[in-house]
Amino acid sequence: MKLGIVGLPNVGKTTLFNALTGSKAETSSYGSTSAKANIGQAKVPDERLDWLAELYNPKKYSPATIDFVDVAGVSKGGKSNAILQNIRQTDALVHVVRCFDNDLLFTEPADARGDAESLDLELILSDMEVVERRLDKANKNLKGGDKKYKREAEMCEALLAHLSDGKPARTFEFTEEDKDILQDGGLLTVKPIIYAANLDEDGMADYRNNAQFQALSELAAEQGAAVLPIAAKFEEDLLELDDEEAAMFMEDLGLTERGLDRLIKASYELLGYISFLTAGPDDVHAWTIVRGTKAPRAAGKIHTDIERGFIRAEVIAFEDLKACGTMAVAKSKGLLRSEGKEYVMQDGDIVNFLFNV
């Protein structure tokens, strides 16, 4: 999974990036205009994988990972294409929105909804440039006699009109043929969005009653987007503490999970992702797939040869194995199942794929 972090200048994007990835990327009260992005990776915490590691004591421990791409702040009315180019191939966007006041950084009070809509407009304008270029190319190919570009030109014209009305591409009614044409198009406003409502510690402690969080939540509901309350600076500071100290400070804010854990859960839900597990003395490994994936396609996440030569999958639910304590006990109770090509993978499945190439 790859998530792009975007927002207006000085809203806490890079602070959040550092908190999520453990990086030390430079933050500035002046906002960078560099087109260079910060890139980092975070391991997905998974208690199921931890339990399996204790059971098997494997040579290798391989949690799922998330790549984060943090781009410079996008100024209102600015030329942002060079900055935004870095996140065109991400799976979803984390749009960081300021929900706090700071007289040292800002002359105006927070306006979460207004800021979110301003940046949404910048993303729409950037997408319009992309669609205009595709339309121009499709029309040139049509004039050259290549009729297969007719549908692409029609789609681009309709999509351009939609974007021109200030509407994101995710609300455009694409046909299945359109989706094939659009594949790898890199449009920003077609991506799912999580609004990260960045609060200070006081706001986080009572975020449900925070006016800025409420306003942003209303916008997210209108768009079918997700919203996540988070205190980026607080999360970054937690990295300097041991687990016991961190838990104590989190309790003061009424938090039971770190921001990374909550963002991962929100991202998986938004994108429809689940994890299946493989386990043994050599490696315990979490694999991310789309909910509804059948067993052979899931096997292909490990290696294309396994998908190509798929015979069957030996499957046990994690909770069943944990309740039994060992695989031997689980087998004796008939909990290890044999599944074929039509089996739809479930979150937490522990799998051994049998194949022959």
Side-chain angles (χ1 to χ4, degrees):
M1 187 192 304
K2 181 182 286 188
L3 301 180
I5 302 178
V6 67
L8 298 176
N10 302 321
V11 296
K13 293 183 305 76
T14 303
T15 300
L16 178 60
F17 170 81
N18 287 339
L20 296 173
T21 63
S23 302
K24 299 291 184 182
E26 183 180 353
T27 59
S28 168
S29 61
Y30 300 101
S32 171
T33 58
S34 171
K36 185 178 179 181
N38 297 313
I39 299 174
Q41 189 176 80
K43 295 177 180 179
V44 175
D46 193 330
E47 293 179 354
R48 300 170 302 189
L49 209 63
D50 295 339
W51 188 88
L52 289 170
E54 290 184 9
L55 177 66
Y56 288 102
N57 191 26
K59 297 175 185 176
K60 189 177 179 183
Y61 177 85
S62 306
T65 58
I66 295 181
D67 294 326
F68 291 97
V69 183
D70 166 46
V71 297
V74 178
S75 299
K76 299 178 184 179
K79 289 291 184 179
S80 55
N81 267 352
I83 292 172
L84 295 175
Q85 191 64 31
N86 293 295
I87 54 172
R88 290 203 178 276
Q89 300 308 317
T90 55
D91 298 306
L93 300 180
V94 179
H95 180 170
V96 183
V97 183
R98 177 171 68 102
C99 293
F100 62 90
D101 291 319
N102 185 323
D103 294 339
L104 296 178
L105 295 178
F106 305 100
T107 58
E108 299 292 333
D111 177 13
R113 180 171 184 131
D115 286 352
E117 290 176 334
S118 292
L119 191 128
D120 285 347
L121 179 58
E122 294 300 322
L123 299 182
I124 288 171
L125 292 171
S126 183
D127 277 355
M128 286 177 66
E129 293 188 27
V130 172
V131 176
E132 284 170 348
R133 287 196 297 270
R134 288 194 63 167
L135 176 59
D136 184 57
K137 181 179 178 180
N139 283 329
K140 286 180 179 177
N141 285 318
L142 268 176
K143 289 178 181 178
D146 194 340
K147 300 298 183 184
K148 73 178 183 180
Y149 284 92
K150 183 174 185 296
R151 178 56 200 158
E152 181 169 353
E154 292 172 347
M155 181 200 72
C156 287
E157 286 180 353
L159 179 56
L160 191 57
H162 180 86
L163 293 168
S164 297
D165 287 338
K167 300 173 184 176
R170 74 182 69 88
T171 62
F172 184 78
E173 294 186 9
F174 293 100
T175 67
E176 288 304 316
E177 183 183 1
D178 290 341
K179 291 176 182 177
D180 290 339
I181 296 171
L182 187 68
Q183 192 172 11
D184 297 325
L187 293 182
L188 295 169
T189 64
V190 80
K191 300 180 187 299
I193 279 192
I194 297 174
Y195 285 110
N198 190 15
L199 300 131
D200 56 19
E201 289 188 35
D202 289 339
M204 189 67 195
D206 190 26
Y207 70 86
R208 289 184 178 84
N209 292 317
N210 181 281
Q212 298 303 323
F213 176 77
Q214 290 173 347
L216 189 60
S217 297
E218 289 173 2
L219 177 63
E222 292 169 11
Q223 297 181 344
V227 62
L228 179 76
I230 198 161
K233 185 64 174 71
F234 174 78
E235 294 286 345
E236 186 181 40
D237 291 343
L238 288 180
L239 296 178
E240 306 299 324
L241 306 176
D242 60 37
D243 289 344
E244 186 175 337
E245 288 177 314
M248 181 179 67
F249 280 100
M250 287 168 60
E251 186 178 355
D252 289 341
L253 289 188
L255 299 175
T256 57
E257 294 180 298
R258 295 200 183 210
L260 174 61
D261 296 18
R262 293 185 293 116
L263 179 58
I264 288 169
K265 288 180 179 179
S267 302
Y268 270 58
E269 183 176 346
L270 185 69
L271 293 168
Y273 286 173
I274 61 172
S275 293
F276 73 89
L277 315 170
T278 53
D282 290 329
D283 187 21
V284 293
H285 204 126
W287 307 87
T288 302
I289 55 174
V290 176
R291 187 178 298 279
T293 298
K294 292 183 178 180
R297 180 62 62 86
K301 289 285 291 186
I302 301 174
H303 200 285
T304 53
D305 283 350
I306 306 178
E307 180 178 4
R308 184 162 54 89
F310 179 90
I311 299 173
R312 67 180 185 274
E314 295 177 338
V315 183
I316 184 171
F318 171 79
E319 293 300 334
D320 287 341
L321 177 59
K322 184 178 180 181
C324 292
T326 67
M327 188 63 78
V329 173
K331 287 181 178 179
S332 70
K333 293 185 177 182
L335 295 174
L336 184 66
R337 314 184 310 274
S338 181
E339 302 287 358
K341 293 182 177 180
E342 295 303 309
Y343 177 68
V344 176
M345 301 292 292
Q346 302 298 309
D347 188 42
D349 276 347
I350 302 171
V351 192
N352 177 41
F353 293 109
L354 303 180
F355 67 104
N356 183 10
V357 291

